Amino acid sequence: MLVKIAKDRIRKGMFVESVACPSREFARRRFLLKTDAELAAILATSAVEVSINVRLGVDPDGRKPQAGKSDRLRDPVRIAAVRSEVSQSAKALRASLGHLVAGGSLDMTGLSQAAEENAGIWSDSTVIALEVTRLKSKDETTYVHSLAVSGMMTLLARSLEMDEETTGILGVAGMLHDIGKLLIPNEILTKPGKLTDQERLVIRNHPEAGYRLLKTYPDLPPVVLDICRLHHEALDGSGYPLGLKKKDLSMPVRLSTVCDVFEALTSARPYKRSWTSTEALDWMFARPQFFDRKMVIRLGSVLADAPLH
C-alpha cells in the first residue's frame, strides 16, 4: 500500500517508491532505504513528500510488514479452485473470441459478465491467479493471457478510483485486446524458435488486424478499440502500429500497456523463463521512454496489497 509522508519522516527500513522532486535531482525509485547516505541524499533534495510502500518496508510508525502471510494463505484447495476457474474462463473466452473472428454477433452483455466474473477471481485471489496464469500451454496462451490482463486492468482501474462502468469496460477491453492474434497462423503464433523477419511483421500486425475486426461491431466502446489497436505503442513513439507518443496515448491505453507487458514478462514461454514480479516491475520502471511510471508503481502497489486467500 502506498503512503505519502513528509520528507523529514523517512527512516531506514522504509521502501521508497518515489521522491517528489520537482527538479528531479533524486531520480532513484523503488528501493529499500538501508544507509545513512541514502537517507541524507533524500533529505538534501527539494522534495516535500516521499511515497513509501508499507507492504515492502516499515510504516511511518516503525512497524514492520506482516510476515508469513503468503505461507499461511496459500491453501492448495484454493489454488486448485482458482486453476479450475481460470481454465473454465479460458474455454469460454476461446468460444467467444472464435465466434467474433468467424463474423458472429457481439454479445456485449455476456462479455461484460465474463469480465466481471474474471475480475472477481483477481480481486479475491490476486496472487494465486497471478501464479496460476504464469504457466500456459501453447493452445491457451492467448486466452489465459487475455484473462490475466483483463483482471489486472480492473484491479488497476479500481486502484485509480475509476468509476465502475469504466472499470467494467476496461475489463472487456483486456479480454479483447489480443483478438488479432487469432488471425495469425498457429505455426507462427506458437513457433518455439526464432521468428523470421517476415513472421515478426505478421505478429506485429495483430493490433491493427484486431482493431479492424472489432471496428465492425458498433456497440463496442471506442476505448476498447483504442486498447486493441494501441497497447503496443510506447511513450517515445517507438511502438507500433502507429508510432504514437505519450500525448496521443490515453490513460486507459497506457494502463493496458503496463498490464500487457507485465503479464508477458512474468509468464513462462518455451524460449524463456518467467520473471518475478519484482524483476518485471523494475525492468519496466527503468524504461520511462516506454511505460508510464505512475502506472508501473501503482501496479506494484496493487500486487503488493493483493489478498492471498
Side-chain angles (χ1 to χ4, degrees):
M1 182 172 64
L2 291 183
V3 175
K4 289 184 178 181
I5 61 173
K7 178 180 64 176
D8 58 7
R9 295 186 66 196
I10 62 168
R11 300 289 184 271
K12 287 187 289 185
M14 290 182 171
F15 189 93
V16 177
E17 287 284 359
S18 62
V19 179
C21 299
S23 58
R24 299 186 61 81
E25 68 265 33
F26 190 93
R28 191 177 177 190
R29 301 289 188 274
R30 304 202 76 249
F31 67 98
L32 185 65
L33 184 58
K34 295 180 179 179
T35 69
D36 290 329
E38 292 170 334
L39 180 61
I42 295 175
L43 292 175
T45 68
S46 61
V48 175
E49 292 183 327
V50 177
S51 292
I52 64 171
N53 192 323
V54 297
R55 294 289 188 183
L56 303 177
V58 299
D59 68 14
D61 295 321
R63 293 173 297 201
K64 295 181 179 180
Q66 186 177 0
K69 182 180 181 183
S70 175
D71 293 335
R72 291 197 307 274
L73 297 179
R74 285 183 178 272
D75 179 1
V77 175
R78 182 57 185 152
I79 293 173
V82 171
R83 184 174 287 113
S84 176
E85 291 170 344
V86 169
S87 178
Q88 292 174 22
S89 296
K91 290 178 181 177
L93 184 60
R94 178 197 290 268
S96 295
L97 298 190
H99 183 68
L100 294 178
V101 169
S105 59
L106 173 70
D107 180 8
M108 190 64 185
T109 300
L111 282 171
S112 297
Q113 182 176 349
E116 184 177 351
E117 291 172 355
N118 181 61
I121 296 172
W122 280 82
S123 178
D124 293 341
S125 306
T126 309
V127 173
I128 295 175
L130 186 60
E131 291 299 320
V132 164
T133 56
R134 284 183 195 271
L135 300 175
K136 311 171 182 66
S137 63
K138 288 193 303 182
D139 62 336
E140 67 177 4
T141 295
T142 297
Y143 310 103
V144 176
H145 167 73
S146 296
L147 289 171
V149 171
S150 174
M152 283 187 278
M153 285 177 63
T154 56
L155 291 178
L156 200 47
R158 287 171 181 163
S159 174
L160 293 167
E161 298 183 349
M162 295 184 183
D163 62 80
E164 281 303 307
E165 181 180 2
T166 300
T167 299
I169 291 172
L170 292 185
V172 171
M175 299 182 96
L176 295 176
H177 81 286
D178 261 351
I179 194 171
K181 286 187 175 179
L182 302 186
L183 304 172
I184 298 172
N186 276 335
E187 58 267 26
I188 296 178
L189 188 61
T190 61
K191 183 177 180 179
K194 186 178 180 180
L195 296 173
T196 66
D197 290 343
Q198 184 58 41
E199 289 168 339
R200 193 172 293 108
L201 286 175
V202 172
I203 291 285
R204 285 170 65 95
N205 187 55
H206 80 268
E208 188 68 27
Y211 166 75
R212 289 175 183 169
L213 171 64
L214 294 182
K215 196 176 180 182
T216 64
Y217 295 96
D219 290 340
L220 280 173
V223 69
V224 175
L225 301 180
D226 287 344
I227 286 171
C228 177
R229 192 183 201 185
L230 306 177
H231 65 274
H232 281 293
E233 297 287 350
L235 300 186
D236 65 355
S238 63
Y240 61 91
L242 302 181
L244 300 181
K245 292 188 176 183
K246 181 178 180 179
K247 65 181 180 64
D248 298 313
L249 300 172
S250 67
M251 182 170 70
V253 168
R254 300 198 305 271
L255 181 153
S256 71
T257 299
V258 166
C259 293
D260 178 68
V261 174
F262 175 84
E263 206 288 324
L265 291 175
T266 56
S267 293
R269 295 286 192 272
Y271 51 86
K272 78 169 188 70
R273 70 172 179 86
S274 61
W275 291 17
T276 66
S277 295
T278 298
E279 287 173 332
L281 291 167
D282 287 348
W283 185 87
M284 294 168 70
F285 189 87
R287 287 159 176 79
Q289 70 273 29
F290 301 148
F291 309 106
D292 185 326
R293 273 184 162 176
K294 291 182 179 179
M295 293 292 179
V296 175
I297 290 174
R298 181 70 66 168
L299 181 60
S301 176
V302 166
L303 296 178
D305 283 342
L308 305 182
H309 55 280

